[in-house]
Amino acid sequence: MPPENQVEQNHNGQYHTEHNLQLVRRLYEDCFNTGNLDRVPQMIATDFVSNRGEHGQVEFAANIAGLRKAFPDVCFVVDDIFGAADRVAVRWSFSATHSGPFAGFPATGKAVRQQGNVIYRIRDGKIAQAWVQIDRLGLIQQLELNA
């Protein structure tokens, strides 16, 4: 029987926890932090869904592109990450400068920090589902946007 941290599939076709953790770390390092959207198809399932309404690789990539347009210098840090079976939980933070349109508001030039928690479900070596909780109000307050 292969060790728990080996990057092989188990008898149910699920990847081991270590592979899943690496996949999610790479998502933040290779996609969110760099804007390299060419990596999305390698990491996100074609039928991906999230609780925020995103469906598929194209919408997932558009979310990253929109974030990086508003905050081009965004830098995510994975503060905590752990997983079991087909789930990976992440607590992240990011710092960025509001340099482009966001939520219908023009750039403010303000530095911001945001935190969030995400639970990902991994299937066949790709992220198939995400449950995202972020402090959107805290971000709006930092930008001093009056709706």
Side-chain angles (χ1 to χ4, degrees):
M1 177 177 263
E4 188 65 24
N5 64 352
Q6 201 166 348
V7 182
E8 294 180 14
Q9 287 182 303
N10 66 20
H11 67 281
N12 293 326
Q14 294 297 319
Y15 282 82
H16 289 283
T17 301
E18 185 60 33
H19 176 269
N20 295 345
L21 295 171
Q22 291 172 8
L23 171 66
V24 172
R25 278 191 188 280
R26 282 194 335 267
L27 177 68
Y28 288 93
E29 294 167 2
D30 296 351
C31 294
F32 282 104
N33 283 347
T34 67
N36 184 355
L37 303 180
D38 292 337
R39 301 274 307 187
V40 168
Q42 299 166 21
M43 297 181 193
I44 303 298
T46 56
D47 60 347
F48 169 85
V49 294
S50 84
N51 65 316
R52 298 177 350 148
E54 297 163 312
H55 290 86
Q57 296 170 342
V58 171
E59 289 183 16
F60 189 91
N63 179 48
I64 294 173
L67 176 70
R68 293 195 54 82
K69 182 176 181 183
F71 303 97
D73 63 346
V74 68
C75 182
F76 279 82
V77 174
V78 173
D79 299 312
D80 283 310
I81 186 169
F82 53 93
D86 65 344
R87 307 294 163 105
V88 173
V90 178
R91 181 177 64 85
W92 53 256
S93 55
F94 80 59
S95 55
T97 307
H98 181 214
S99 303
F102 173 73
F105 294 95
T108 64
K110 294 184 181 203
V112 297
R113 182 169 163 81
Q114 184 171 28
Q115 296 179 332
N117 300 296
V118 186
I119 298 173
Y120 294 101
R121 184 173 62 82
I122 314 301
R123 187 188 69 236
D124 298 327
K126 294 185 179 186
I127 297 169
Q129 195 166 9
W131 296 270
V132 182
Q133 296 295 317
I134 58 174
D135 181 15
R136 186 71 170 252
L137 177 59
L139 183 62
I140 298 291
Q141 289 171 332
Q142 291 174 70
L143 296 172
E144 298 177 357
L145 299 176
N146 297 318

